DNA sequence: CTCGGGATGCGT
DNA sequence: CGCATCCCGAGG
């Protein structure tokens, strides 16, 4: 299974989000390897998206979002969990896809239903912020083809974002047991 | 510098 | 619904 290349990420964010479903997220750490199948994601559509961290312009935290596609944007939330995004679209568009849930494949002990648990189970934290997903530590690979239906729903936890909160930018694999908040 | 709140998850 | 727990980002 090949690693996804730069051009995969350098596309329309909703397309990347949908196509990430079913792919494999791999964290090859020191001596241990963790992997899971991506089953739930959310799209964040650039600076005009009021729910996006990039909506108030470039800041210290969201810097990776403004960089080239194919990089990881990892941030701390509520003082105790990390969330991982993959940066999409050409540099400067400040768009990304949040990885919300995985189906465990390899080396995973904890739960993976939800962005915070996903990062904990995959041992993903601030150290991996800005990491290139075309490198050898953290990356996403193609998967064996499988048929599934994709469900679209409003994103979780962004009620403050007005009209943007209503848009169906959360995507998940229909019927999958590892999807959060079904 | 202070201060309010957050792309969460868990227990009540 | 409350809360843990801490960093970010806005404002003075």
């Amino acid at each position: 299974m090949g690693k996804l290349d730069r051009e995969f990420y350098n596309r329309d964010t909703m397309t990347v989000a949908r196509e990430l479903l079913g792919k494999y997220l791999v964290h090859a750490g020191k001596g241990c390897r963790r992997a899971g199948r991506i089953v739930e994601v959310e799209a964040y559509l650039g600076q005009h998206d009021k729910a996006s961290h990039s909506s108030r312009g470039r800041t210290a935290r969201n810097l990776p979002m403004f960089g080239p596609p194919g990089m990881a944007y990892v941030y701390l939330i509520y003082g105790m969990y990390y969330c991982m995004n993959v940066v999409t679209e050409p540099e400067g568009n400040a768009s990304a896809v949040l990885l919300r849930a995985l189906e465990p494949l390899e080396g995973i002990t904890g739960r993976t239903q939800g962005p915070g648990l996903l990062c904990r189970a995959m041992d993903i934290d601030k150290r991996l912020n800005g990491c290139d997903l075309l490198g050898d530590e953290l990356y996403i690979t193609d998967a064996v083809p499988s048929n599934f239906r994709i469900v679209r729903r409003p994103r979780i936890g962004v009620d403050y974002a007005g009209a943007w909160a209503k848009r169906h930018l959360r995507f998940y694999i229909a019927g999958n047991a590892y999807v959060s908040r079904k």
Side-chain angles (χ1 to χ4, degrees):
Chain A
M1 293 301 139
K3 196 177 292 181
L4 301 182
D5 61 18
R6 192 78 61 200
E7 286 314 302
F8 178 93
Y9 300 105
N10 190 23
R11 295 182 298 160
D12 168 75
T13 303
M14 291 211 281
T15 302
V16 176
R18 299 173 70 94
E19 293 191 16
L20 279 173
L21 293 176
K23 302 288 194 292
Y24 302 153
L25 175 67
V26 180
H27 182 191
K30 313 167 196 65
C32 68
R33 180 188 162 88
R34 301 165 208 263
R37 179 171 177 252
I38 299 168
V39 300
E40 178 184 349
V41 298
E42 282 178 1
Y44 287 84
L45 307 185
Q47 290 191 68
H48 35 266
D49 180 349
K50 291 298 181 226
S52 173
H53 286 176
S54 62
S55 67
R56 273 174 281 199
R58 190 185 305 239
T59 66
R61 178 175 63 160
N62 67 25
L63 208 53
M65 289 191 77
F66 287 81
M71 315 293 278
Y73 167 43
V74 181
Y75 67 92
L76 178 67
I77 184 74
Y78 300 116
M80 55 180 71
Y81 295 102
Y82 288 94
C83 291
M84 175 185 169
N85 299 252
V86 302
V87 176
T88 59
E89 306 202 26
E91 180 163 359
N93 283 38
S95 299
V97 175
L98 171 69
L99 304 185
R100 284 195 58 93
L102 298 179
E103 183 178 319
L105 289 176
E106 183 183 345
I108 289 181
T109 51
R111 299 177 58 173
T112 53
Q113 286 177 38
L117 293 177
L118 179 158
C119 283
R120 175 184 291 176
M122 289 289 287
D123 193 28
I124 291 166
D125 62 23
K126 198 93 180 171
R127 301 187 312 261
L128 290 168
N129 187 35
C131 175
D132 190 352
L133 299 178
L134 274 76
D136 292 325
E137 185 174 10
L138 184 66
Y139 53 90
I140 301 174
T141 74
D142 244 323
V144 290
S146 62
N147 287 319
F148 49 78
R149 191 169 60 83
I150 296 175
V151 180
R152 298 187 58 174
R153 288 286 182 272
R155 293 171 294 186
I156 303 285
V158 296
D159 294 341
Y160 57 83
W164 283 92
K166 297 191 167 63
R167 295 191 53 178
H168 287 35
L169 295 174
R170 175 184 178 219
F171 304 87
Y172 61 83
I173 294 178
N176 190 280
Y178 293 93
V179 171
S180 69
R181 310 204 209 175
K182 282 194 289 284

